[in-house]
Amino acid sequence: PAPSAMPGDGVALVDAVNVDVVLPDGTVLEDPGNVVLPLGAVVRVHDGGSATLGDTRLRPGDVATLTSGFVDVVHGQDTGPVSSPKPRATPRPTPRPTPGASTGSEGPSPSALGSPTPSGSTAPGVSPIPSAPPAASPTPRPSPTSAPGSPVPTATPRPTPTSTPATVRPRLRARLVAGPRIAVRWTATWNAASYVLVITRSRTGSAPDPVYPGAKVSVQYAAPPVKPIHIRVPDGVTEFRLMVVALRADGSVLRRSTIVVVAIPVIASASPAAVAVPS
């Protein structure tokens, strides 16, 4: 099918479910949430997924590419059938007892319990319980420093000090999970209007420290993600470095998080001698 084009420069991706986003440097985000995509990002919707890119609703099989001035959307890519949910067993109704039927666990009859005793009277042969005398309240002692008959001075309550809420640095958390993937989350910052996630990686040695502004690849969020963002680890990458920058409403930097380093363990490949060669 022919691709459809619509104008756009920095398009927001919202309500992403079962969606992969490939950033210009090759970093893959899985279900990135509500994010503003940079130029060169590619969005792919998988089975049972959906998303909204700008004013376009993406469905399973759609591939959208954000280029300079346009968002190209190709529809109808083959993604395989959607798995149908398993049928649920219908529970059997619980039989209700028939009114008037004997249940075999009836309580004692009212005649066995006896007639109620009126309030304020006692049953024959039972002595009434005497009530306890009222406790005497202690007489307050006069203050030794005050004259007799003078009013007792009361303490003046101190006013509660009001403090201005301090700006808190966003706390970034990243950990390696199965896949391999990196699960990323961060906390909210007071008075922040948006957040920028900056990612760097390396295949040889240590990855460069993320910088902002000036980062080549970064994604912008209006709020911290509700669920962890999963970053797919490409083959050969040995280290990731991540940083979150909290921005004010005018786009200036409010606070930066600490740089989190995630080392990727290298899995040794099998030696050529261990691979069986067919005759």
Side-chain angles (χ1 to χ4, degrees):
S4 59
M6 61 179 179
D9 186 8
V11 180
L13 178 69
V14 298
D15 301 333
V17 178
N18 202 11
V19 171
D20 289 347
V21 175
V22 183
L23 300 180
D25 68 338
T27 303
V28 181
L29 307 179
E30 297 180 357
D31 290 343
N34 300 339
V35 60
V36 179
L37 299 180
L39 295 178
V42 179
V43 181
R44 181 182 297 273
V45 184
H46 297 281
D47 294 348
S50 62
T52 301
L53 183 61
D55 297 333
T56 302
R57 185 66 175 175
L58 302 179
R59 303 187 181 280
D62 292 350
V63 178
T65 304
L66 178 59
T67 59
S68 179
F70 293 96
V71 175
D72 296 333
V73 182
V74 180
H75 304 280
Q77 299 298 310
D78 187 12
T79 59
V82 180
S83 59
S84 58
K86 298 181 180 180
R88 298 181 178 179
T90 304
R92 296 182 179 180
T94 304
R96 298 182 178 179
T98 305
S102 176
T103 58
S105 61
E106 298 179 355
S109 61
S111 59
L113 297 177
S115 59
T117 303
S119 175
S121 61
T122 58
V126 180
S127 302
I129 301 176
S131 59
S137 59
T139 303
R141 298 180 179 177
S143 176
T145 59
S146 61
S150 60
V152 179
T154 58
T156 305
R158 297 182 180 179
T160 303
T162 58
S163 59
T164 304
T167 302
V168 182
R169 172 181 295 187
R171 180 178 298 178
L172 176 63
R173 297 179 180 179
R175 60 188 181 91
L176 189 65
V177 297
R181 296 174 176 85
I182 299 177
V184 182
R185 297 186 70 174
W186 64 87
T187 58
T189 302
W190 178 79
N191 205 26
S194 60
Y195 303 85
V196 175
L197 176 62
V198 187
I199 307 169
T200 59
R201 60 185 185 179
S202 174
R203 285 183 168 85
T204 56
S206 300
D209 288 340
V211 293
Y212 184 86
K216 295 182 179 180
V217 178
S218 60
V219 288
Q220 187 172 357
Y221 287 81
V226 178
K227 299 187 299 182
I229 302 170
H230 288 163
I231 303 174
R232 192 176 302 168
V233 179
D235 295 337
V237 174
T238 58
E239 187 177 274
F240 272 80
R241 292 184 180 239
L242 307 97
M243 181 181 66
V244 170
V245 182
L247 304 180
R248 298 184 179 90
D250 58 359
S252 60
V253 176
L254 179 62
R255 291 299 296 268
R256 290 180 172 88
S257 72
T258 57
I259 298 176
V260 177
V261 181
V262 180
I264 311 301
V266 179
I267 301 176
S269 59
S271 60
V275 179
V277 179
S279 57

